[in-house]
């Protein structure tokens, strides 16, 4: 099975320096970057689907990671290669020029070249929380989609049983391949993924570590670059941001004299009772 | 009963520090990575490895630190049971390969420069000192064998120890042979087939047994029957707990048993064992390197000793650094008291304690000491890497670098370990009462760090090594080169626009240090040798302070050059600014003490020696 995993880099939420806004634009100078966690889960899922769990070194399928972004975003691709992905594609672009729609169209162009059996995406990126790319991509490709997957069970190479996390429980869908599946947090629980190669293997919880030797070997794995304009004729984003602003700082608390004042404030200022 | 301890990581590291040392202060890029020895290693690999290793320790070893401390080790049915999770962490560590980062590829490692391994050691030790001891000692034992073992021994033991299939220990200390190793009583009786029957008891053996790997390989110092007394008659033996056959299949029990474990102040997750060899006359060992290497045990040990002493210095930096970063977090968060500017106003707003002058003093003091000691350790590692690279190409330069390694080892071991305990103590003080409780990590850091000044040669042994051996090594050339390096820096920067004044403090300290070095020489020559041990520790501290002050100021010069090109909101702006202040703090608050200490040497006061034993106390 050939699996394509789009991967976005996001500003590390643990950054000591918080995101700033300069003249209505997001200022990312000095930010530390890391892969979007949901995309890491998608990579982990793809690896589990393309290996025999008992012997993770033997590859029984191919995992291609892809990002749309500047040269520095190759660091995140190399990271995915170090955990086991086979090769990487970077579509060169500036973050400011992108929206979910351009990204989906760019990925579609790669899909037409690569013809993967499955596209695994994170359900959303933790920076913009847009939750669009997977759905748009499925629509552009005319492929079936299953979003918010918490479990995936392979049915040979032709279909997947996807347990979708929905309000009130799990909705299981059978999607025929090729398809787009977006994954949620619980997809990296020890037994969430059962591939045809190792239907019953129990994995360590979460995303695997990159072993030192794999980090060293990742350098030698193929990484190709496309220009955005080579892939999409109209690279204009559909969403234009007029401005950005930070949420207002929290006001300091106040002390109230008595219960009566508290009730009064809750009713008339906060309007919560 | 101790309460249930949760698996939470509290280890913190600042990887920007690591990158600064590697790529800005020391020219890893041009001096080391350009060498064909490190073809596989580029900047990317280093950054990714350090980041990934940091992630590993935060998720795997760090969460077990407090658990290991609370649970400790137990003897169950004659075997050591390590704390919950250690076995899993051991497996994951060897799967990930971090312990083998600098091991040569032919032994299954990644062959990274030594400086990178030192940083990986910092991450492992800082996140969980007690756990890191097991793989650390295994690596040390394997390293000795890489140097001296026969090819068969390497194939049988070293490869498996590098993979973590088998553990390893170093067995030197005995009840009557501590700092005085030459008094060892463990014996080896030749059995005529190249093997020896080993009999004796070793104490304070870290990881002397454990349940992390299927076998434990002990390197045991023992005296072959008829060998000379003292250190000259000691041979290093490979003594497996279970005897393997030539293919590595485990066979019979080798009569190696744990008699007891110590109940300690810290590093409780590390089993410190009494190990009995040959209680039933059935313990067999073979000399490392075969019979050709009999009576060479001490010199073989010394190959590992340098590495082990550096590793202890790193342990100090590691634990102290995390204690500092935790205290810093707490100081930013904890509100208590109001600003001194509002001292008359009882209703003034409460402020975070980082706003109080004395807390700031403690924080910058910890910062300067931690970052200075780390710089010294990486400087040493850099010399080590350069010595290897230049070997056979430029022997004179290589000898210079080896000389600096020799000279700096006692400084890194003793000064970093002494400072570690003091930094941890200061960290507790920042927390106040909270720091004294087990709700916060710093009291464990403090208890764990005390051993660093004791094991691998007490810090007094380090001081005696420095003044008795190292200062005069190669006719004093190493010391002169060191002083020369500092002098070059002083000459270049004493008129520096920002830190010129601080550099002048360094110049004064260095002059005082040189004077004290002459004083030591004079004592040797003038028959006042008893002064030497009395002042050796003080001299080591003085020399370390000069070295640390120099390296911190070197950092400040770099930071000063780079600052104008960094936008104010960029994290590097704060980073470089911090470098300037830490160096200035150290130069003005610590370095002047060097001249003062020199004046204490000059006093030649001998009260400590002259006081009669009976006069110490009347009880």
């Amino acid at each position: 099975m050939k699996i394509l995993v789009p991967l976005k880099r996001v500003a590390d939420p643990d950054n000591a320096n918080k995101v700033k806004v300069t003249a209505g634009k997001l200022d990312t100078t000095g930010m530390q970057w890391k892969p979007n966690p949901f995309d890491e889960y998608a990579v982990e899922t793809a690896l589990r689907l393309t290996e025999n769990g008992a012997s993770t070194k033997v590859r029984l399928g191919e995992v291609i990671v892809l990002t749309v972004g500047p040269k520095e975003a190759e660091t995140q691709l190399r990271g995915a290669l170090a955990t086991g992905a086979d090769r990487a594609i970077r579509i060169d672009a500036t973050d400011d020029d992108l929206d979910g729609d351009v990204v989906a169209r760019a990925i579609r162009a790669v899909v037409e070249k690569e013809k993967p059996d499955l596209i695994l995406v994170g359900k959303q990126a933790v920076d913009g929380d847009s939750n669009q790319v997977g759905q748009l991509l499925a629509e552009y490709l005319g492929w079936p989609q299953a979003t918010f997957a918490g479990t995936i069970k392979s049915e040979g190479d032709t279909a997947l049983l996807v347990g979708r996390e929905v309000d009130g429980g799990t909705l299981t869908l059978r999607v025929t391949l090729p398809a787009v599946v977006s994954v949620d947090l619980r997809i990296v629980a020890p037994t969430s993924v059962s591939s045809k190669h190792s239907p019953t293997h129990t994995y360590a919880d979460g995303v695997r570590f990159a072993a030192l030797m794999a980090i060293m070997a990742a350098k030698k794995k193929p990484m190709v670059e496309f220009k955005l304009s080579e892939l999409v004729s109209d690279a204009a984003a559909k969403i234009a941001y007029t401005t950005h602003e930070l949420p207002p700082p929290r006001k300091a608390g106040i002390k109230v004299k008595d219960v009566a004042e508290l009730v009064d404030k809750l009713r008339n200022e906060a309007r919560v009772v | 009963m101790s309460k249930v301890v949760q698996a939470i990581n509290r280890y913190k590291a600042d990887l920007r520090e690591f990158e600064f040392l590697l790529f800005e202060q020391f020219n890893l890029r041009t001096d080391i990575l350009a060498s064909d020895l490190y073809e596989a290693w580029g900047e990317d690999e280093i950054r990714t490895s350090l980041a990934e290793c940091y992630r590993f320790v935060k998720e795997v070893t760090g969460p077990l630190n407090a658990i290991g401390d609370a649970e400790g080790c137990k003897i169950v049915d004659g075997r050591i049971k390590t704390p919950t999770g250690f076995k899993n962490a051991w497996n994951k560590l060897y799967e990930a390969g971090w312990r083998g980062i600098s091991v040569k590829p032919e032994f299954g490692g990644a062959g990274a420069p030594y400086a990178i391994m030192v940083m990986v050691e910092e991450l492992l030790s800082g996140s969980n000192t007690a756990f890191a001891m097991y793989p650390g000692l295994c690596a040390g034992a394997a390293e000795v064998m890489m140097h001296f073992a026969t090819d068969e021994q390497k194939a049988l033991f070293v490869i498996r120890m590098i993979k973590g299939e088998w553990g390893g220990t170093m067995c030197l200390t005995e009840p009557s042979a501590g700092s005085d190793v030459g008094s060892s009583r463990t014996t080896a009786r030749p059995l005529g087939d190249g093997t020896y029957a080993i009999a004796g008891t070793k104490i304070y053996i870290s990881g002397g047994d454990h349940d992390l790997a299927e076998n434990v390989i002990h390197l045991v110092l023992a005296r072959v029957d008829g060998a000379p007394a003292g250190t000259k008659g000691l041979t290093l033996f490979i003594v497996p707990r279970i005897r393997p056959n030539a293919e590595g299949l485990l066979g019979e029990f080798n009569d190696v048993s744990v008699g007891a474990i110590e109940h300690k102040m810290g590093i409780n997750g590390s089993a410190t064992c009494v190990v009995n060899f040959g209680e039933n006359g059935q313990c067999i060992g073979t000399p490392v390197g075969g019979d050709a290497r009999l009576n060479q045990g001490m010199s073989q040990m010394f190959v590992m000793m340098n590495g082990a002493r550096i590793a202890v210095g790193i342990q100090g930096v590691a634990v102290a650094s995390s204690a500092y970063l935790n205290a810093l977090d707490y100081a930013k968060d904890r509100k208590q008291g109001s600003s001194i500017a509002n001292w008359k106003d009882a209703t003034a707003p409460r402020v975070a304690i980082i706003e109080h002058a004395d807390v700031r003093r403690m924080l910058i003091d910890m910062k300067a000491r931690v970052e200075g000691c780390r710089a010294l350790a990486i400087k040493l590692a850099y010399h080590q890497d350069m010595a290897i690279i230049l070997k056979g190409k430029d022997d004179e330069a290589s000898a210079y670098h080896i000389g600096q390694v020799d000279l700096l080892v006692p400084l890194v071991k003793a000064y970093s370990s002494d400072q570690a305990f003091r930094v941890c103590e200061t960290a507790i003080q920042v927390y106040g009462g909270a720091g004294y409780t087990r709700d916060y990590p710093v009291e464990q850091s403090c208890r764990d760090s005390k051993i660093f000044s004791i094991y691998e040669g007490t810090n007094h042994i380090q001081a005696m090594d420095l003044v008795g051996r190292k200062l005069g090594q190669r006719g004093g050339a190493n010391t002169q080169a060191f002083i020369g390096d500092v002098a070059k820096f002083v000459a270049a920067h004493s008129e520096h626009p920002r830190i010129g004044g601080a550099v002048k403090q360094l110049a004064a300290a260095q002059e005082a240090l040189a004077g004290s070095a002459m004083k030591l020489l004079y004592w040797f020559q003038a028959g006042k040798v008893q002064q030497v041990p009395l002042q050796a520790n003080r001299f080591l501290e003085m020399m370390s302070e000069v070295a640390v002050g120099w390296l911190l100021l070197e950092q400040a010069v770099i930071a000063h050059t780079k600052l104008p090109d960094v936008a104010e909101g960029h994290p590097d702006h704060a980073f470089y600014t911090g470098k300037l202040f830490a160096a200035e703090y150290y130069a003005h608050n610590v370095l002047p003490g060097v001249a003062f200490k020199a004046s204490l040497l000059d006093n030649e006061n001998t009260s400590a020696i002259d006081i009669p034993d009976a006069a110490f106390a009347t009880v």
Side-chain angles (χ1 to χ4, degrees):
Chain A
M1 180 145 52
K2 187 176 187 179
I3 304 177
L4 180 71
V5 183
L7 184 121
K8 183 182 186 182
R9 66 165 196 172
V10 296
D12 187 344
D14 297 331
N15 261 319
N17 285 55
K18 296 299 172 201
V19 177
K20 284 183 291 292
V21 172
T22 310
K25 289 189 76 172
L26 288 179
D27 181 0
T28 55
T29 10
M31 285 282 144
Q32 300 285 324
W33 300 89
K34 62 181 288 183
N36 172 39
F38 291 109
D39 297 344
E40 287 188 296
Y41 307 153
V43 174
E44 175 67 31
T45 308
L47 293 172
R48 291 184 187 184
L49 284 170
T50 52
E51 70 193 8
N52 172 354
S55 164
T56 53
K57 281 172 189 147
V58 183
R59 309 284 302 123
L60 301 168
E62 190 181 24
V63 175
I64 308 161
V65 286
L66 171 156
T67 197
V68 189
K71 178 88 180 160
E72 300 81 67
E74 287 185 0
T75 305
Q76 281 70 38
L77 291 178
R78 290 265 176 235
L81 293 176
T83 58
D86 300 283
R87 56 193 173 93
I89 297 167
R90 182 175 67 85
I91 302 170
D92 189 53
T94 312
D95 291 331
D96 283 352
D97 300 337
L98 299 174
D99 63 8
D101 185 74
V102 178
V103 170
R105 285 184 288 130
I107 297 173
R108 174 182 59 175
V110 173
V111 170
E112 281 159 5
K113 288 174 198 283
E114 292 285 348
K115 308 206 182 329
D117 303 299
L118 173 64
I119 299 167
L120 280 171
V121 297
K123 68 166 182 176
Q124 65 199 63
V126 296
D127 50 2
D129 283 326
S130 303
N131 185 1
Q132 292 176 344
V133 171
Q135 293 90 329
L136 285 166
L137 180 59
E139 182 61 26
Y140 281 131
L141 289 166
W143 287 9
Q145 61 170 308
T147 52
F148 316 136
T151 58
I152 293 178
K153 191 172 185 315
S154 168
E155 294 195 330
D157 279 335
T158 55
L160 300 175
L161 271 187
V162 179
R164 301 183 56 228
E165 300 201 338
V166 294
D167 289 347
T170 304
L171 176 68
T172 304
L173 292 181
R174 172 176 288 109
V175 290
T176 49
L177 298 177
V180 178
V181 176
S182 83
V183 298
D184 206 334
L185 169 66
R186 267 160 294 272
I187 197 70
V188 290
T191 56
S192 291
V193 178
S194 51
S195 78
K196 68 167 186 175
H197 310 295
S198 53
T200 57
H201 185 73
T202 303
Y203 281 89
D205 197 12
V207 175
R208 67 194 62 192
F209 292 103
L212 173 59
M213 288 306 185
I215 292 172
M216 304 304 289
K219 183 155 76 168
K220 298 191 183 83
K221 290 185 176 176
M223 165 123 42
V224 296
E225 182 190 332
F226 294 110
K227 297 263 170 284
L228 185 58
S229 55
E230 291 167 14
L231 299 177
V232 287
S233 50
D234 174 15
K238 289 180 181 167
I239 296 173
Y241 292 93
T242 47
T243 188
H244 290 85
E245 58 187 54
L246 295 174
R250 262 180 70 181
K251 285 183 199 150
I254 53 160
K255 280 185 183 162
V256 291
K257 280 200 300 291
D258 48 28
V259 174
E261 189 188 346
L262 175 65
V263 171
D264 174 68
K265 290 209 182 286
L266 288 175
R267 182 168 292 152
N268 299 318
E269 277 182 33
R271 294 177 198 279
V272 289
V273 289
Chain B
M1 273 304 290
S2 61
K3 63 177 180 171
V4 175
V5 177
Q6 285 183 310
I8 295 173
N9 173 61
R10 275 142 154 190
Y11 176 63
K12 279 177 189 292
D14 183 355
L15 296 188
R16 182 68 184 84
E17 262 282 299
F18 290 12
E19 291 183 4
F20 177 83
L21 289 166
L22 293 176
F23 301 119
E24 294 172 74
Q25 185 165 18
F26 306 118
N27 291 321
L28 206 79
R29 213 177 278 122
T30 50
D31 292 354
I32 293 172
L33 297 183
S35 157
D36 46 8
L37 287 178
Y38 302 113
E39 222 171 328
W41 284 89
E43 222 173 308
D44 260 4
E45 283 71 29
I46 290 172
R47 285 180 207 276
T48 311
S49 296
L50 291 175
E52 195 62 25
C53 184
Y54 184 35
R55 187 187 144 218
F56 178 90
V57 302
K58 280 192 293 183
E59 292 181 24
V60 178
T61 49
L64 302 176
N65 195 30
I67 290 179
D69 182 51
E71 279 186 21
C73 297
K74 296 177 190 72
I75 302 186
V76 179
D77 298 333
R79 295 296 314 270
I80 296 293
K81 187 178 176 304
T82 56
T84 308
F86 274 34
K87 167 79 180 149
N88 179 44
W90 172 279
N91 291 345
K92 282 190 167 163
L93 174 68
Y94 283 99
E95 229 168 78
W98 298 115
R99 194 54 259 186
I101 192 160
S102 277
V103 173
K104 287 192 183 125
E106 64 253 41
F107 291 110
Y114 188 66
I116 310 302
M117 189 197 74
V118 165
M119 291 179 170
V120 165
E121 287 216 5
E122 178 175 341
L123 295 171
L124 290 171
S125 291
S127 62
N128 193 332
T129 309
F131 172 79
M133 300 277 293
Y134 297 99
L137 282 149
C138 181
E143 196 192 334
V144 174
M145 287 197 253
M146 278 178 216
H147 280 275
F148 301 109
T150 62
D151 289 344
E152 291 76 29
Q153 289 171 337
K154 285 180 193 167
L156 181 57
F157 296 106
V158 175
I159 300 286
R160 288 181 175 84
M161 290 164 79
I162 295 297
K163 281 192 200 159
E165 289 172 16
W166 295 349
T169 74
M170 306 293 308
C171 301
L172 284 74
T173 304
E174 295 180 15
S176 58
S179 293
D180 176 16
V181 185
S183 302
S184 286
R185 289 181 188 162
T186 299
T187 57
R189 180 168 49 83
L191 298 174
D193 58 351
T195 67
Y196 291 75
I198 309 292
T201 295
K202 296 284 179 179
I203 61 165
Y204 296 163
I205 305 309
S206 299
D209 182 35
H210 57 71
D211 51 2
L212 306 174
E214 59 181 19
N215 200 3
V216 180
I217 312 303
H218 302 279
L219 291 190
V220 181
L221 269 187
R223 197 179 310 277
V224 177
D225 294 354
T231 53
K232 282 179 199 149
L234 293 174
T235 300
L236 195 58
F237 286 89
I238 303 173
V239 184
R241 183 179 176 277
I242 313 266
R243 291 178 208 154
N245 69 8
E247 282 76 49
L249 290 173
L250 297 182
E252 291 169 340
F253 177 59
N254 194 27
D255 198 9
V256 178
S257 59
V258 175
I261 50 176
E262 307 296 339
H263 300 277
K264 311 189 294 291
M265 174 181 180
I267 56 166
N268 289 318
S270 168
T272 307
C273 304
V274 175
V275 186
N276 296 318
F277 296 93
E279 274 182 310
N280 309 303
Q282 300 296 316
C283 179
I284 295 175
T286 46
V288 174
D291 277 351
R293 299 278 190 179
L294 288 183
N295 299 338
Q296 295 179 17
M298 275 315 278
S299 60
Q300 292 176 343
M301 291 299 301
F302 263 100
V303 164
M304 188 220 60
M305 208 84 91
N306 257 5
R309 289 177 173 176
I310 297 162
V312 173
I314 300 302
Q315 287 183 315
V317 172
V319 173
S321 176
S322 188
Y324 160 58
L325 293 173
N326 272 291
L328 174 63
D329 251 17
Y330 185 81
K332 286 176 174 172
D333 191 53
R334 166 75 176 164
K335 287 194 167 56
Q336 192 73 186
S338 56
S339 163
I340 198 163
N342 302 325
W343 64 288
K344 282 181 180 162
D345 176 5
T347 64
R350 306 294 94 180
V351 296
I353 61 171
I354 195 173
E355 296 195 25
H356 300 314
D358 188 54
V359 172
R360 299 180 80 79
R361 175 191 63 76
M362 290 191 278
L363 291 172
I364 197 171
D365 190 77
M366 290 191 279
K367 175 180 168 68
R369 289 173 198 276
V370 164
E371 292 177 6
C373 286
R374 182 184 289 114
L376 188 59
I378 301 302
K379 179 83 182 176
L380 189 164
Y382 170 81
H383 281 306
Q384 185 116 327
D385 280 323
M386 292 304 290
I388 293 168
I389 287 171
L390 294 169
K391 195 175 165 191
K393 289 179 185 153
D394 183 344
D395 286 335
E396 197 183 322
S398 181
Y400 154 75
H401 289 292
I402 292 171
Q404 293 306 297
V405 171
D406 285 337
L407 188 64
L408 295 182
V409 163
L411 273 55
V412 164
K413 195 283 178 182
Y415 187 68
S416 298
S417 59
D418 277 340
Q419 296 307 306
F421 187 66
R422 285 164 206 166
V423 165
C424 291
E425 180 237 323
T426 307
I428 295 176
Q429 196 69 18
V430 168
Y431 277 82
Y436 195 66
T437 70
R438 298 207 171 177
D439 295 341
Y440 293 94
V442 284
E443 63 84 30
Q444 187 193 341
S445 306
C446 193
R447 286 184 291 108
D448 283 354
S449 68
K450 187 53 221 160
I451 190 64
F452 304 153
S453 66
I454 300 169
Y455 60 21
E456 292 304 339
T458 65
N459 284 0
H460 180 62
I461 291 212
Q462 306 303 321
M464 290 306 285
D465 177 46
L466 176 68
V467 301
R469 258 181 89 224
K470 302 293 175 67
L471 284 185
Q473 226 173 17
R474 292 207 302 145
N478 299 341
T479 311
Q480 281 164 16
F482 170 81
I483 303 255
D485 286 346
V486 179
K488 235 180 284 171
F489 175 83
V490 167
H493 301 290
S494 60
E495 301 305 323
H496 191 279
R498 163 87 191 245
I499 59 155
V503 173
K504 289 194 176 85
Q505 296 281 16
L506 176 65
Q510 184 205 331
E511 203 172 305
L513 177 73
S516 293
M518 296 310 292
K519 194 87 194 175
L520 284 166
L521 198 63
Y522 159 75
W523 285 335
F524 276 115
Q525 289 164 349
K528 293 185 173 185
V529 176
Q530 60 165 3
Q531 283 285 344
V532 174
L534 214 46
Q535 300 294 345
N537 295 33
R538 182 171 279 148
F539 181 83
L540 181 142
E541 187 167 80
M542 293 162 64
M543 185 162 168
S544 303
E545 285 167 350
V546 167
V548 162
W550 162 44
L551 295 172
L552 285 174
L553 287 165
E554 191 175 86
Q555 297 188 346
V557 170
I558 298 164
H560 187 263
T561 314
K562 297 210 168 183
L563 253 180
D565 299 326
V566 185
E568 208 153 310
H570 196 284
D572 277 355
H573 196 276
F575 179 80
Y576 291 132
T577 305
K579 286 287 171 208
L580 280 170
F581 281 106
E584 287 178 322
Y585 170 84
Y586 197 87
H588 293 295
N589 293 275
V590 179
L591 287 182
V594 175
F596 170 69
K597 286 169 195 161
S599 75
L600 300 183
L601 259 82
D602 290 341
N603 286 344
E604 298 193 356
N605 177 268
T606 50
S607 303
I609 293 167
D610 300 339
I611 180 175
D613 290 2
F616 277 104
T618 55
V619 287

